[in-house]
């Protein structure tokens, strides 16, 4: 049973993830591991792919090892709920990792990229007992190392914290259809009548491995009534605190509405309806970074990939996942790095 002489802790999020990480700690951890493995091979620091068993039934294949510098055993197995329930039948209810700080990286990982980053950081800090502060203390005389840790903070923050992206443009530019393709489902009502979107519609999505809060807003232009004016105002308020994407109907081209929105340059310009004949594009306006057709739902994966890659490029982010070295994951850790450099 979890607790007492054995603690079995689920370090990753209990969700439909690809991988789950279970940590065994306490005096009985080796006994429990031997009972699960049943092959007579000792557990050590070498990661080995081994089968887990309970009551004569094979549960799953897992990567099993003892992390360097820690008195624990880790089981890296599939994250399916059926597998976790089988583990609980063998070990008792799985405890949850304490939230907050670096310890929460694994517990809160909900994408493959976040999990890769969390596991990378755990491995890099294992020689220092899992302590970021010890790592920094050990490298006080290595400013190049510390600067690299600080530089990776931006990518780590982007990987862990959703960035708000607001879609704006004229009425019927294709914003809502684009949002549906990015989400991979029909979340927003669309139709031939302009102005169907009123309140901003926000949804969380992962694009190119990075988390985003995607917001669809009412189309810009002349308000037809008080409600339309209020909807446009809400959209403008949403843009004030977000990364802005201007959506242009390629078949209609760039008009006064688009030029007004370009006055405060958006982070990205996307041209939609590329399946239709294109209107002339003004020579004094930079070309759109991305041309897409969203009419076919089957195009969702391609649109997501292209859109996500453009956002990562605009933000100066590396491919999502491991960063190739220790990173400061929050403001507190960044302050530790800055103090070490100053000292």
């Amino acid at each position: 049973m979890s607790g007492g002489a054995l603690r079995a802790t689920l370090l990753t999020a209990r969700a439909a993830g690809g991988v789950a990480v279970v940590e065994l700690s306490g005096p009985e951890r080796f006994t429990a591991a031997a009972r699960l493995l049943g092959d007579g091979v000792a557990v050590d620091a070498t990661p080995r792919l081994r089968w887990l068993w309970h009551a004569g039934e094979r549960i799953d294949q897992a990567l099993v090892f003892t992390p360097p510098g820690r008195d624990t055993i880790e089981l890296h197995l599939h994250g399916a709920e059926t597998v976790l329930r089988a583990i609980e039948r063998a070990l008792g209810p799985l405890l949850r990792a304490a939230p907050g700080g670096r310890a929460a990286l694994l517990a809160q990982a909900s994408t493959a990229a976040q999990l890769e980053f969390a596991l990378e950081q755990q491995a890099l800090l294992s020689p220092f007992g899992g302590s970021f502060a010890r790592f920094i203390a050990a490298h006080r005389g290595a400013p190049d190392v510390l600067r690299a840790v600080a530089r990776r903070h931006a990518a780590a923050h982007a990987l862990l914290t959703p960035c708000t992206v607001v879609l704006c443009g004229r009425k019927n530019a294709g914003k809502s259809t684009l949002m549906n393709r990015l989400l991979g489902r029909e979340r927003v009502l669309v139709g031939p009548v302009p102005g169907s979107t009123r309140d901003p519609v926000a949804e969380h999505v992962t694009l190119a491995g990075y988390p985003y809060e995607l917001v669809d807003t009412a189309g810009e232009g002349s308000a037809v009534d008080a409600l339309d004016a209020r909807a446009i105002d809400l959209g403008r308020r949403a843009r004030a605190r977000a990364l802005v994407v201007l959506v242009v109907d390629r078949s209609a081209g760039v008009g006064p509405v688009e030029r007004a929105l370009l006055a405060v340059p958006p982070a990205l310009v996307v041209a939609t309806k590329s399946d239709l004949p294109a209107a002339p594009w003004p020579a004094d306006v930079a070309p759109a970074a991305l041309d897409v057709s969203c009419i076919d739902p089957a195009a969702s994966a391609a649109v997501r990939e292209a859109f996500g890659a453009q956002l990562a490029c605009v933000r100066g982010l590396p491919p999502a996942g491991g960063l190739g070295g220790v990173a400061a994951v929050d403001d507190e850790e960044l302050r530790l790095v800055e103090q070490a450099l100053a000292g």
Side-chain angles (χ1 to χ4, degrees):
M1 297 290 290
S2 298
L6 172 69
R7 289 174 58 86
T9 305
L10 181 63
L11 300 182
T12 49
R14 188 151 192 162
V19 177
V21 179
V22 175
E23 178 187 79
L24 304 183
S25 58
E28 296 296 320
R29 63 186 183 279
F30 285 102
T31 301
R35 189 168 63 249
L36 278 173
L37 297 166
D39 56 14
V41 179
V43 177
D44 54 30
T46 302
R48 295 185 179 90
L49 201 58
R50 301 166 69 174
W51 285 103
L52 305 180
W53 300 79
H54 175 61
E57 294 186 3
R58 195 160 63 179
I59 297 174
D60 191 23
Q61 199 171 32
L63 198 65
V64 184
F65 63 100
T66 57
R70 298 176 65 86
D71 294 327
T72 61
I73 297 173
E74 286 189 8
L75 313 175
H76 294 224
L77 57 157
H78 292 97
E81 183 63 23
T82 53
V83 173
L84 295 179
R85 288 176 181 172
I87 292 294
E88 288 184 317
R89 287 195 293 273
L91 301 176
L94 293 172
L95 305 173
R96 298 302 304 271
R102 183 171 285 271
L105 292 184
L106 276 174
Q108 295 176 358
S110 59
T111 68
Q114 289 176 337
L115 181 60
E116 180 185 342
F117 172 70
L119 292 173
E120 174 200 54
Q121 295 298 300
Q122 182 187 63
L124 291 171
L125 292 182
S126 286
F128 304 91
S131 169
F132 181 81
R134 289 184 191 174
F135 173 88
I136 297 302
H139 292 87
R140 284 187 178 275
D144 289 346
V145 173
L146 297 177
R147 292 190 189 100
V149 173
R151 282 197 302 271
R152 297 186 191 105
H153 171 68
H157 183 268
L159 193 59
L160 302 173
T161 307
C163 171
T164 300
V165 173
V166 171
L167 305 180
C168 72
R170 75 168 76 175
K171 294 179 174 67
N172 211 28
K175 300 182 298 299
S176 296
T177 304
L178 173 60
M179 180 156 178
N180 286 340
R181 297 299 167 261
L182 294 173
L183 294 176
R185 58 191 175 91
E186 301 301 307
R187 169 64 179 86
V188 187
L189 291 175
V190 298
V193 179
S196 57
T197 300
R198 296 293 193 176
D199 292 337
V201 177
E203 289 285 345
H204 284 84
V205 64
T206 299
L207 299 169
Y210 287 97
Y212 293 92
E213 181 188 44
L214 195 62
V215 184
D216 183 24
T217 61
E220 284 280 344
S222 299
V224 297
D225 54 30
L227 180 60
D228 194 29
R230 176 61 176 157
I232 293 172
D233 181 63
L234 288 174
R236 291 172 180 172
R237 290 172 183 266
R239 295 203 302 269
R241 53 180 174 80
L243 188 152
V244 177
V245 174
L246 172 59
V247 180
V248 179
D249 178 350
R250 171 65 82 178
S251 67
V254 175
V257 170
E258 286 77 18
R259 288 187 179 276
L261 291 168
L262 285 166
V264 179
L268 186 66
V269 177
V270 176
T272 59
K273 306 184 184 181
S274 63
D275 52 291
L276 299 177
W281 194 274
D284 63 332
V285 176
L290 188 63
D291 280 83
V292 296
S293 171
C294 299
I295 190 171
D296 184 1
S300 181
V303 172
R304 285 168 53 87
E305 181 180 356
F307 192 90
Q310 285 294 332
L311 285 179
C313 181
V314 164
R315 301 173 70 195
L317 298 174
L323 298 181
V326 174
V329 300
D330 55 31
D331 290 343
E332 182 178 347
E333 290 191 349
L334 188 58
R335 278 194 295 272
L336 282 178
V337 178
E338 292 170 346
Q339 288 170 1
L341 285 168

